[in-house]
Amino acid sequence: MDSRKLIANNKKARHDYFLEELYEAGVSLHGTEVKSLRMGKCSIKEAFVRIENGEVIVYGMHISPYEKGNIFNKDPLRPKKLLLHKKEILKLQQKIAEKGYTLVPVEVYLKGSLVKVQIALAKGKKLYDKRQDIAKKDLRRASEREFKVKNLN
């Protein structure tokens, strides 16, 4: 089995969306970008995914310039093409055409020597859904704290 090393995680995506289906996509990158990713210099907090002309493209994925890359460095915020099978792209296009669906990058990781992006077909959460999630999390934390206190005595 390939080792999987997490580079960047999008916690905001889990907070703002209901993630329904997850897809693993390769990324079309240049050499210095890969080196920078291996050092963990990546952010997908503001990133989003669009399908244009049958191609899946991620915007706003920030890969910091490689220090030793000088003239070979690319624009940190340039749009990057995601590599998916044609059937998957068509399926995603149909789902996005439905109201309320969008594509969001969830995490970036190294799988063996390859850089992969996990994207999710997601539906936006309403404000009351977010409040419910926060309330559940607080309740869980309180019960764990109580459990911990009981077990210490």
Side-chain angles (χ1 to χ4, degrees), residues 59-107:
Y59 293 90
M61 180 174 151
H62 187 278
I63 299 176
S64 299
Y66 183 58
E67 287 113 47
K68 299 176 182 83
N70 58 45
I71 61 165
F72 299 107
N73 280 332
K74 301 287 180 200
D75 175 27
L77 285 172
R78 77 176 180 85
K80 291 146 192 82
K81 184 177 170 185
L82 296 182
L83 310 170
L84 285 163
H85 292 283
K86 199 72 173 171
K87 284 182 182 176
E88 288 177 320
I89 294 171
L90 292 172
K91 184 180 175 187
L92 287 172
Q93 228 169 0
Q94 288 172 349
K95 283 283 190 178
I96 289 173
E98 291 178 32
K99 193 169 186 253
Y101 279 106
T102 187
L103 286 174
V104 289
V106 181
E107 50 188 40

Side-chain angles (χ1 to χ4, degrees), residues 108-145:
V108 179
Y109 54 91
L110 285 167
K111 189 174 180 183
S113 63
L114 304 173
V115 177
K116 300 285 185 181
V117 175
Q118 188 176 55
I119 59 173
L121 185 66
K123 203 167 197 139
K125 283 186 181 178
K126 302 280 189 264
L127 186 62
Y128 56 83
D129 291 326
K130 292 179 193 177
R131 284 190 192 131
Q132 283 177 332
D133 284 353
I134 292 168
K136 283 179 192 173
K137 207 180 285 182
D138 288 345
L139 195 65
R140 195 184 77 238
R141 276 196 202 120
S143 64
E144 283 175 1
R145 203 175 296 121

